[in-house]
Amino acid sequence: MSLVQAGKTYNLGGRDFIELTDYSTEEIRYLIDLAIEIKRKQKNGEAYQPLLGKTVGLIFEKSSTRTRVSFEVGVYQLGGHALFLSKNDIQLGRGETIADTAGVMSRYLDGIMIRTFGHDRVVDLARFSTVPVINGLSDLAHPCQVLADYQTIYEHKGQLEGLKLAYIGDGNNMAHSLMIGGAKLGVSVSIASPEGYEPDSQIMADSRELAAATGATIEVVRDPREAVKDADVIYTDVWASMGFEEEQKAREAAFASYQVNEELAALAKPDYLFMHCLPAHRGEEVSEGVIDGSNSIIFDQAENRLHAQKALMAALIG
Ligand code: CP
Ligand code: NVA
């Protein structure tokens, strides 16, 4: 099973990974292929250590379970050493600039992953670093998650082009990266968000333009039933992302009719896949019956964070 012509490889050494817009359709397909191959190697116990002797810094300005653990384990499995750098422990948290942090860290490290608030912090870190920078989530984008997600869909469906993904809820970082990834890979993305919580209009326009090349359609609708109709994948995320906790109550009201539950899911194709980047709030954005039901592949997608990021680090830093 391969998304790329047999034998074709792409040299991505030294590149940053800030959003999927920076990568061509062929490069993204190559990364997914590589992730599937690296996953196979790991399951078969075959050593693959392109990061031997290399060190990757993991800067966290927000909480994390999956991203932290999958990056730390991934670097270890690739033969390298990972440094967990919480904002509470490094001078960045006391006001040292991104530029100075980037300059200094580039002298010690072979690659940097950052999870932060403003997307400009990721862009600036990459601009001032001389080693590859990977976006481990910003307020605007979560490309590592989406790389793993499209790998997971491909593994389950055996194809990407021509599928329909319905994203129900907040037009947030997840919605943005799913739209761009879908546009690049030929997956049509239908977003249903309440008024005032739609995805960023520039990202919307960019993804529509990208989708023209792959035949995908990218749309934002109001009615979740319209988005879910005949969908191959239903995706949702929390109503209040990290940094928006104080809006929780207002958001619960705004999103009340946007829960993914059995009634809504019945409008999708019978073999639809349910996906969620996690962490999830059962009983809010998704019912227990759907997230814990037989169409749910949440743990496959969580597992693939490990394989997708190993492929990314092998290609960029290895
Ligand atoms: N999906 C995801 O990025 O999870 P964490 O916030 O736990 O890293
Ligand atoms: N939209 C969520 C994703 C968490 C992985 C957030 O930013 O908090």
Side-chain angles (χ1 to χ4, degrees):
M1 180 153 89
S2 172
L3 282 163
V4 174
Q5 294 285 311
K8 188 127 196 232
T9 57
Y10 291 80
N11 183 4
L12 307 179
R15 296 259 301 265
D16 299 312
F17 186 75
I18 295 174
E19 181 47 298
L20 291 166
T21 23
D22 307 331
Y23 283 73
S24 70
T25 295
E26 282 301 307
E27 288 168 343
I28 299 170
R29 287 181 173 167
Y30 167 67
L31 285 169
I32 294 176
D33 266 359
L34 188 61
I36 292 171
E37 173 58 15
I38 287 175
K39 182 175 181 176
R40 188 197 61 74
K41 281 190 205 295
Q42 196 227 330
K43 304 255 179 217
N44 288 346
E46 293 173 35
Y48 177 66
Q49 306 209 303
L51 293 194
L52 213 55
K54 304 210 176 206
T55 307
V56 181
L58 311 174
I59 303 176
F60 283 90
E61 298 195 286
K62 284 178 176 170
S63 307
S64 169
T65 296
R66 280 142 290 270
T67 305
R68 175 176 177 182
V69 178
S70 58
F71 266 101
E72 283 203 28
V73 170
V75 173
Y76 171 75
Q77 290 182 355
L78 292 173
H81 178 66
L83 283 179
F84 171 68
L85 305 164
S86 153
K87 74 158 194 286
N88 303 323
D89 306 320
I90 59 174
Q91 301 288 11
L92 191 63
R94 292 182 58 250
E96 186 165 19
T97 65
I98 282 276
D100 285 352
T101 304
V104 170
M105 289 211 180
S106 295
R107 300 294 177 104
Y108 305 133
L109 302 171
D110 300 287
I112 306 171
M113 189 242 50
I114 181 166
R115 163 167 288 200
T116 188
F117 292 86
H119 190 70
D120 54 331
R121 291 176 75 74
V122 185
V123 173
D124 284 350
L125 190 74
R127 184 152 66 100
F128 295 109
S129 291
T130 56
V131 298
V133 168
I134 296 173
N135 181 2
L137 182 146
S138 67
D139 285 347
L140 200 73
H142 198 2
C144 288
Q145 179 69 53
V146 165
L147 197 58
D149 291 343
Y150 283 116
Q151 177 194 339
T152 314
I153 296 170
Y154 181 62
E155 287 173 334
H156 277 268
K157 294 283 181 195
Q159 67 176 100
L160 287 172
E161 263 177 329
L163 296 181
K164 177 183 178 184
L165 182 149
Y167 174 93
I168 310 302
D170 191 19
N172 60 15
N173 44 12
M174 279 311 312
H176 294 154
S177 293
L178 285 167
M179 282 158 64
I180 294 164
K184 291 259 181 183
L185 293 165
V187 177
S188 290
V189 179
S190 186
I191 310 260
S193 303
E195 197 179 350
Y197 296 96
E198 298 91 350
D200 179 85
S201 55
Q202 186 58 53
I203 293 178
M204 185 70 212
D206 292 348
S207 354
R208 281 209 173 123
E209 202 178 311
L210 292 168
T214 60
T217 55
I218 309 293
E219 62 172 10
V220 178
V221 298
R222 196 65 75 211
D223 187 347
R225 288 167 302 188
E226 191 183 335
V228 165
K229 193 173 178 327
D230 296 327
D232 299 283
V233 179
I234 308 179
Y235 203 115
T236 192
D237 186 13
V238 291
W239 291 338
S241 286
M242 289 181 275
F244 296 86
E245 289 82 0
E246 75 287 355
E247 296 180 14
Q248 177 68 28
K249 280 282 158 244
R251 284 169 173 263
E252 279 174 24
F255 288 93
S257 58
Y258 284 77
Q259 186 188 73
V260 176
N261 52 35
E262 289 81 340
E263 195 188 332
L264 184 65
L267 302 173
K269 291 200 179 137
D271 62 347
Y272 83 93
L273 303 172
F274 173 77
M275 300 180 78
H276 192 310
C277 56
L278 306 179
H281 293 152
R282 285 169 173 74
E284 283 184 35
E285 74 273 9
V286 60
S287 67
E288 270 185 38
V290 168
I291 194 169
D292 298 322
S294 56
N295 297 67
S296 175
I297 55 165
I298 54 169
F299 298 120
D300 290 343
Q301 63 177 131
E303 177 188 330
N304 279 341
R305 290 294 301 279
L306 172 68
H307 309 300
Q309 290 157 191
K310 280 172 74 180
L312 194 58
M313 290 189 285
L316 271 48
I317 306 168

